[in-house]
Amino acid sequence: MKFSILVALFLSSFSVNETKVSDSLRVTLSHGGGLIGRYLSSQSGRGIRAFMGVPYAEPPIGSLRFSHPVPKKPWAGFLRANQDGDQCLQYDYLYKGNESIGSEDCLYLNVYVPQTPESNNPLPVMVFFHGGGFQSGTGGKVFYGPDYLLDEDVILVSGNYRLGVFGFLSTNTLDSPGNYGLKDQSLILKWVQENIGFFGGDKNSVTIFGQSVGGACVTYHTVSPLSRGLFQRAIAQSGTHLGIWSLQDARVAVNNARQLAEVMDCPSEESNSREMVECLRRKSAEEINSHFFDFFLWDIYPTISWGPVIEPPNEGAFLNEEPRDISRGHEIPLMLGVVSDEGLMISTSILHSSELIEDVKTEWVRILPPVLWYNYYSKELQEQLTNMITEFYVNGLNKDMNDPIFFQRFTEAMSDGYFTSAVDQFLQYRQQLATDSLNSNTYLYIFNHRGDSSFSEQLQQNPDADYGVCHSDDVIALFPVMKEHFFHGVPTEEDDSIRKAMVSMWVNFARYGNPTPTENVDLPRWDTVGSFPYNYLRIGRFNQPGNVSRISMEKGFYDDRVLFWRNIISMLNENTVDIDKIN
């Protein structure tokens, strides 16, 4: 008994509240309050000072729901910052099905700092915005840890922003103008400007980067007045704000808001938008979130029910102009690109369901419009676009997802509709702003390295199948996703080589605005994109025998497919949403 008491007393002396805190893990912020972080290590064993779960805004609850974010009030003393804050309330509908996770109190960020940087100068800062269709995801270490990037002398910041209805409900009035998730991101950038110097960072060398809708967020920040001057460089991976999915028509947004209000027993008339919003603020977050799946027309399509909108003029607006009409942002150095088989995100997710496979075969004309985002246009235009897409990609093929040829062509259609066209549209837009920008500060890539693990495994739930390079597979090279989510994968020697090359190029760009600023025997010089047909860096091997180079400069960015989608998007831009298709 005495021995047990002694052991208990001994162990209690190691309580978190009693342990010594190293001076390097204490940081005082601009408002006078401080943080106590924790110690981590990078892939190569370098020390990392990690400050996690740092509140940057007041909890967006009560009257702050569906409102601009409010900076976190100062606190006295030191706040323990040693674990991720809660994820924002969501359904992780891509990977976890019907599981509701997260909290409305979720506006937290993480800061990762080298313990012993090689330079005494302030370090460049990289701020990451996660993907997830504006509906799901997190910026926490659980997904986007610092293990790889912090092998270099750089500070990494990641954070949560409001998602789904909580981040993007819009009544197209001042009662709820929308874009709250994007405004959260702008507040993160302001927090960085005010505080990153206390961590040894350079507020004048901030690079924002993001993947999927995170990439769209990045390019949105290049044109938003709310983010002007808060960063110096940008990297958009697999997404831009000129994709067919990136901007929600105000009429669609209002209709969705009214539909939600109606099922929540709130006023739903357009003339009662104030009462509608006030009523929704009184409802429980969980009850509101429970209606997430009400807005899909086929399976989980259209995938974005709540997204960015053009706001009515208001103080603190993130976006109140048509993005294509905004003539700024071209001066910001930019990297952007895609993975080679983006559309596997959609095509492989269909394979696990015999019902979905049958729908593709028998309901092609019905399902293609919501999958490719033109379901709100007139019946005549929908038919025309469906015929054009069918003829270009799958003409004469039996629409059987188990047929390898049809599966590949379907995947290409999804790749181009969602991602390749979004990149090309942004390059065209950027060239119109300044004819020399594509020759001076814009870098394009295609990532086609299929590593030991791929996100297609989680979507199709078949770890042994190799369909290609799936949407988000580039994330595996920048963040330790395999450690957290691919438990049975072991990185190959080539995986490690690609990882090191990508980390080097991404950090070089953050430091210099050029991914290959010096001669390197392992990397070719990454040339700027130039005029169409574009120059691009291929990251990964060609599939053909004899082409063994891992990374090389190439010319021609899916030219025929890009030109086809230019025509499709031009037709969409020349038409307007059909009100009857919304109601």
Side-chain angles (χ1 to χ4, degrees):
M1 177 66 72
K2 290 182 179 180
F3 178 76
S4 299
I5 293 173
L6 287 173
V7 169
L9 289 172
F10 177 76
L11 292 175
S12 69
S13 69
F14 286 91
S15 164
V16 171
N17 294 324
E18 300 298 330
T19 57
K20 174 186 175 182
V21 176
S22 299
D23 290 341
S24 66
L25 295 181
R26 294 181 185 268
V27 171
T28 300
L29 303 178
S30 59
H31 59 67
L35 301 170
I36 296 175
R38 63 180 294 187
Y39 184 80
L40 301 174
S41 59
S42 73
Q43 180 73 7
S44 67
R46 297 185 74 193
I48 297 173
R49 296 187 295 143
F51 302 87
M52 303 163 60
V54 180
Y56 69 88
E58 289 296 306
I61 58 178
S63 62
L64 296 184
R65 182 189 288 172
F66 311 131
S67 296
H68 302 325
V70 174
K72 182 66 178 177
K73 295 176 182 176
W75 61 83
F78 284 84
L79 183 71
R80 289 197 176 272
N82 53 22
Q83 61 183 0
D84 284 336
D86 284 346
Q87 300 181 38
C88 289
L89 191 60
Q90 61 190 272
Y91 279 94
D92 190 357
Y93 63 122
L94 291 177
Y95 300 113
K96 294 185 178 180
N98 296 333
E99 183 180 347
S100 177
I101 56 176
S103 165
E104 209 175 357
D105 178 4
C106 63
L107 299 185
Y108 299 92
L109 56 81
N110 294 353
V111 184
Y112 305 103
V113 186
Q115 173 71 14
T116 54
E118 296 179 3
S119 171
N120 292 323
N121 297 322
L123 298 177
V125 182
M126 299 182 72
V127 181
F128 183 76
F129 299 128
H130 69 79
F134 300 116
Q135 318 299 302
S136 65
T138 175
K141 179 182 177 295
V142 66
F143 224 102
Y144 300 108
D147 305 41
Y148 300 163
L149 289 167
L150 267 290
D151 269 342
E152 301 279 347
D153 273 0
V154 66
I155 292 177
L156 172 66
V157 178
S158 60
N160 296 337
Y161 56 92
R162 280 173 284 179
L163 301 166
V165 61
F166 302 101
F168 295 95
L169 179 131
S170 174
T171 60
N172 199 31
T173 67
L174 299 187
D175 303 303
S176 182
N179 294 336
Y180 307 116
L182 292 167
K183 293 167 185 175
D184 295 341
Q185 294 176 10
S186 286
L187 189 56
I188 290 176
L189 296 178
K190 291 176 183 176
W191 187 96
V192 167
Q193 288 295 304
E194 294 171 358
N195 293 288
I196 207 65
F198 300 108
F199 298 87
D202 185 353
K203 70 176 184 179
N204 296 313
S205 182
V206 176
T207 298
I208 58 174
F209 68 127
Q211 184 268 341
S212 194
V213 299
C217 293
V218 163
T219 57
Y220 265 125
H221 287 293
T222 66
V223 299
S224 172
L226 208 58
S227 302
R228 195 177 306 163
L230 300 180
F231 62 97
Q232 287 69 45
R233 287 169 286 279
I235 304 173
Q237 301 174 216
S238 299
T240 77
H241 72 284
L242 296 181
I244 56 176
W245 44 267
S246 304
L247 183 70
Q248 190 169 51
D249 186 281
R251 288 162 292 188
V252 176
V254 170
N255 185 75
N256 286 355
R258 293 173 59 194
Q259 181 179 335
L260 175 66
E262 187 170 341
V263 298
M264 294 292 295
D265 294 324
C266 289
S268 58
E269 298 81 7
E270 273 192 76
S271 58
N272 286 343
S273 60
R274 176 172 296 181
E275 291 82 356
M276 175 197 303
V277 173
E278 289 177 351
C279 177
L280 289 173
R281 283 178 177 146
R282 293 191 295 269
K283 302 292 184 178
S284 76
E286 290 73 19
E287 184 182 359
I288 293 174
N289 198 45
S290 70
H291 293 283
F292 175 78
F293 292 96
D294 293 1
F295 298 88
F296 296 133
L297 300 178
W298 178 73
D299 193 37
I300 58 169
Y301 303 98
T303 51
I304 299 174
S305 304
W306 310 95
V309 295
I310 300 173
E311 301 173 49
N314 69 94
E315 185 177 353
F318 183 88
L319 181 73
N320 55 21
E321 303 173 69
E322 164 58 51
R324 294 176 187 273
D325 295 337
I326 300 174
S327 57
R328 59 177 174 267
H330 60 86
E331 74 286 352
I332 297 171
L334 177 79
M335 280 171 50
L336 75 170
V338 296
V339 307
S340 55
D341 305 293
E342 298 272 11
L344 289 172
M345 175 185 71
I346 298 169
S347 56
T348 56
S349 67
I350 292 174
L351 286 181
H352 74 275
S353 168
S354 58
E355 182 179 347
L356 297 182
I357 292 173
E358 183 65 21
D359 281 349
V360 171
K361 184 180 296 185
T362 62
E363 301 286 337
W364 178 258
V365 172
R366 177 177 69 87
I367 69 172
L368 201 60
V371 171
L372 285 174
W373 298 91
Y374 57 91
N375 55 292
Y376 289 122
Y377 292 85
S378 69
K379 180 179 179 182
E380 293 74 21
L381 181 61
Q382 289 189 47
E383 290 178 352
Q384 186 179 4
L385 295 180
T386 298
N387 289 336
M388 291 172 62
I389 293 168
T390 302
E391 181 178 356
F392 185 82
Y393 288 99
V394 298
N395 191 33
L397 295 175
N398 181 24
K399 298 177 181 62
D400 183 359
M401 293 297 292
N402 292 308
D403 176 358
I405 297 177
F406 175 79
F407 179 85
Q408 179 60 33
R409 299 283 174 78
F410 180 86
T411 299
E412 290 175 359
M414 299 301 109
S415 297
D416 298 341
Y418 277 69
F419 303 107
T420 311
S421 61
V423 168
D424 175 62
Q425 288 293 307
F426 190 78
L427 290 173
Q428 290 185 77
Y429 163 78
R430 194 169 176 88
Q431 190 165 35
Q432 292 168 4
L433 294 179
T435 55
D436 65 339
S437 64
L438 299 190
N439 292 306
S440 62
N441 65 3
T442 308
Y443 300 87
L444 178 66
Y445 70 88
I446 296 177
F447 180 89
N448 75 325
H449 172 70
R450 175 56 160 84
D452 188 66
S453 296
S454 168
F455 274 93
S456 61
E457 300 167 18
Q458 293 200 4
L459 293 164
Q460 203 270 333
Q461 300 175 357
N462 181 2
D464 297 321
D466 181 358
Y467 296 101
V469 185
C470 183
H471 183 67
S472 299
D473 279 0
D474 54 337
V475 171
I476 297 174
L478 293 172
F479 297 99
V481 178
M482 287 185 69
K483 294 181 181 180
E484 301 286 349
H485 299 276
F486 296 103
F487 304 109
H488 305 295
V490 177
T492 65
E493 183 177 342
E494 189 167 25
D495 291 346
D496 286 336
S497 179
I498 290 291
R499 170 181 59 79
K500 291 175 182 177
M502 280 191 66
V503 167
S504 176
M505 292 185 292
W506 262 236
V507 172
N508 276 341
F509 183 79
R511 185 176 288 127
Y512 306 111
N514 183 334
T516 54
T518 59
E519 294 295 328
N520 188 313
V521 295
D522 295 322
L523 294 173
R525 177 180 174 82
W526 189 341
D527 296 327
T528 53
V529 63
S531 57
F532 188 84
Y534 305 131
N535 304 316
Y536 71 92
L537 188 76
R538 178 175 51 80
I539 305 173
R541 298 178 186 273
F542 277 128
N543 292 325
Q544 294 89 344
N547 293 292
V548 296
S549 175
R550 294 182 300 107
I551 301 175
S552 63
M553 283 301 304
E554 309 291 343
K555 194 174 188 68
F557 183 74
Y558 303 118
D559 293 351
D560 57 336
R561 290 153 56 180
V562 160
L563 292 174
F564 172 77
W565 273 92
R566 285 185 183 181
N567 190 27
I568 295 288
I569 291 174
S570 177
M571 294 171 66
L572 291 173
N573 290 338
E574 290 169 0
N575 286 269
T576 57
V577 166
D578 186 340
I579 298 296
D580 292 334
K581 293 295 179 184
I582 301 175
N583 298 316

